[in-house]
Amino acid sequence: MQLRYQYRLYPDEAQRAALARLFGCVRTVWNDALVQVKPVKASNKLLGPPKARTAEGPYQRVPKSPDLSRELIAGAKKTPQREWLDQVSAVPLQQVLRDADKAWAAHEDSKTGQRKGPKVGHPKFKSRRDHRQSARFTANAKWKITPAGKLSLPKIGDVKVTWSRDLPSAPTSVTVVKDAAGRYFASFVVETGDEPLPETTPEVGIDLGLTHFAVLSDGTKIANPRFLRRAERKLKKAQRILSRKQEGSANRDKARVKVARAHAKVADARREFHHQLSTTLIRENQGIYVEDLAVKGLARTRLAKSVHDAGWAAFVHMLEYKARRCGRTFAKVSRFLPSSQTCSECWAVDAPKPLHVREWTCKACTTTHDRDVNSARVVLAAGRADR
């Protein structure tokens, strides 16, 4: 399994300038590649598919990364307009062309149905105002981790790294990222094997919600931290200050960074909460079952802000990959399962209930249920039955 390990970088002033130059070159090569490819694809599209042409004319060959590398990197360095591309390592520039090929392939596969999941749009032009700037170095770039624990990058220097944990194996590549808050990160790709945990007996069904973030089938209720709601007052104040700054001014850019840092603090706290809870559940249970929620649909309702604040999708994804790595059983039960209407004692299905009803009594067996605990128990039973 390939995993990413991310660490905070602290470049000095000269290294920040070199990284800004690198991000600019990567962005320029990406945009130049789109300028070359988009007209060709648009022209071919007008002709229709080869087996059902709708117009006359020759199909043009779509340039791929090797062709674009010769023209947009090697050739461009010899021109006055792009000679500054020689000031940075060529490896990130070549990698961004490969990324463009993958982005076009994902778009085409999504249109034809070969790629499952949400539709993927066509690649878009990058801007210096984008929230995230990045550049990837592979082994060909000859980057290394120095004996002093710094990250040595070609034409940038030895950058200070905060090693929050050890790398499990030698990384195959490193991506340097600058986020909207102005923070720098090194994201390493490492190959790791499975790390199965000792087998245990308990299994758990999880009912995700907003009043409580998660209710477990054993009756445990985990409070919803509501990170965004708690920080809302501070965020509103920072946003008001930003809106009063003059467009294009240095003070506006400072205010924008303050807003971005406030949002980053919320996102970091939420991610940490998800990691700690998912790790605890994986360690303590042999089987984990959750409901396959329609998060995108719920995010279009009046509960949208609370749904996004909870971050259910990210949490379920963590459970899934950690269970696979640790040898645990993980499954999603159908979102159409009437978990809030089914009695977990006699399995009689009752009528639908509005959200304000938190307890109900089964008409068949007269058992009184806590709505969320009962739903978690029904999810657990359904997951075991589908296994």
Side-chain angles (χ1 to χ4, degrees):
M1 180 185 294
Q2 283 191 334
L3 293 178
R4 283 194 175 274
Y5 279 62
Q6 187 166 280
Y7 303 88
R8 186 78 181 269
L9 292 180
Y10 293 92
D12 58 29
E13 187 174 351
Q15 291 167 345
R16 287 197 296 270
L19 286 171
R21 189 182 308 116
L22 174 62
F23 295 147
C25 292
V26 167
R27 186 171 60 247
T28 298
V29 171
W30 171 277
N31 291 342
D32 288 349
L34 291 194
V35 169
Q36 293 274 1
V37 175
K38 285 187 74 172
V40 177
K41 285 189 172 288
S43 175
N44 290 345
K45 184 179 179 180
L46 292 176
L47 301 177
K51 295 183 180 179
R53 292 176 64 108
T54 57
E56 293 298 326
Y59 284 102
Q60 302 180 54
R61 180 180 175 275
V62 178
K64 298 296 182 181
S65 56
D67 312 309
L68 295 172
S69 179
R70 285 191 292 270
E71 181 178 353
L72 301 180
I73 300 177
K77 289 178 180 179
K78 301 176 183 178
T79 65
Q81 295 81 8
R82 294 284 188 269
E83 60 182 2
W84 36 266
L85 290 176
D86 202 29
Q87 298 177 10
V88 302
S89 172
V91 173
L93 308 184
Q94 294 164 351
Q95 291 302 311
V96 79
L97 293 178
R98 295 189 178 95
D99 291 342
D101 282 352
K102 292 178 181 178
W104 281 114
H107 172 56
E108 297 294 338
D109 291 345
S110 181
K111 286 199 304 182
T112 58
Q114 297 180 27
R115 181 188 176 97
K116 304 302 180 183
K119 294 296 182 183
V120 178
H122 61 76
K124 297 181 180 179
F125 289 100
K126 294 182 183 293
S127 168
R128 66 191 303 172
R129 296 181 177 85
D130 288 344
H131 297 317
R132 185 179 184 274
Q133 305 284 345
S134 65
R136 187 168 73 255
F137 295 85
T138 59
N140 294 336
K142 296 182 180 180
W143 61 272
K144 63 180 180 180
I145 299 171
T146 66
K150 294 187 175 182
L151 178 62
S152 179
L153 299 171
K155 298 190 177 181
I156 293 174
D158 296 347
V159 185
K160 181 182 176 182
V161 186
T162 298
W163 298 102
S164 53
R165 53 181 173 168
D166 294 333
L167 285 168
S169 62
T172 58
S173 69
V174 61
T175 302
V176 180
V177 180
K178 181 185 178 184
D179 67 4
R183 302 178 301 177
Y184 294 85
F185 297 92
S187 180
F188 297 92
V189 175
V190 296
E191 294 279 353
T192 62
D194 293 340
E195 297 181 356
L197 295 172
E199 289 194 11
T200 185
T201 304
E203 294 186 329
V204 67
I206 305 173
D207 179 69
L208 298 174
L210 297 177
T211 305
H212 294 89
F213 177 78
V215 178
L216 309 185
S217 54
D218 61 4
T220 304
K221 294 186 177 182
I222 297 158
N224 189 354
R226 294 186 174 88
F227 296 107
L228 180 61
R229 295 286 187 182
R230 283 160 48 189
E232 211 164 20
R233 187 175 179 180
K234 183 178 180 180
L235 288 169
K236 285 181 178 179
K237 182 179 179 180
Q239 190 64 52
R240 281 198 302 269
I241 294 173
L242 172 63
S243 66
R244 292 170 183 153
K245 302 301 181 184
Q246 184 178 355
E247 290 282 351
S249 67
N251 283 337
R252 184 178 180 86
D253 192 55
K254 293 177 185 176
R256 181 200 61 77
V257 171
K258 287 184 178 180
V259 173
R261 284 177 178 170
H263 278 287
K265 187 175 181 180
V266 171
D268 290 346
R270 184 188 297 116
R271 189 183 307 111
E272 180 69 13
F273 168 72
H274 288 165
H275 271 297
Q276 289 183 357
L277 179 57
S278 59
T279 300
T280 300
L281 292 173
I282 291 296
R283 285 176 177 170
E284 295 178 353
N285 299 279
Q286 185 64 34
I288 301 95
Y289 307 98
V290 297
E291 192 173 0
D292 185 18
L293 295 173
V295 177
K296 285 191 175 180
L298 292 169
R300 290 194 292 267
T301 67
R302 62 186 178 87
L303 300 173
K305 183 180 288 188
S306 297
V307 171
H308 286 303
D309 192 10
W312 293 328
F315 174 69
V316 172
H317 173 68
M318 289 181 187
L319 283 175
E320 187 172 8
Y321 85 78
K322 289 180 182 181
R324 185 169 64 250
R325 190 182 181 201
C326 297
R328 299 306 199 202
T329 301
F330 174 84
K332 298 178 184 178
V333 302
S334 172
R335 67 186 60 168
F336 302 108
L337 175 73
S339 57
S340 62
Q341 305 170 31
T342 304
C343 174
S344 59
E345 294 293 332
C346 67
W347 305 107
V349 179
D350 201 57
K353 301 165 186 62
L355 286 176
H356 70 270
V357 177
R358 307 317 301 172
E359 286 190 358
W360 60 281
T361 302
C362 176
K363 296 176 182 178
C365 66
T366 67
T367 304
T368 300
H369 296 290
D370 178 289
R371 179 188 182 122
D372 297 329
V373 175
N374 178 76
S375 295
R377 289 172 179 168
V378 172
V379 168
L380 172 61
R384 284 171 169 171
D386 293 340
R387 188 172 56 191

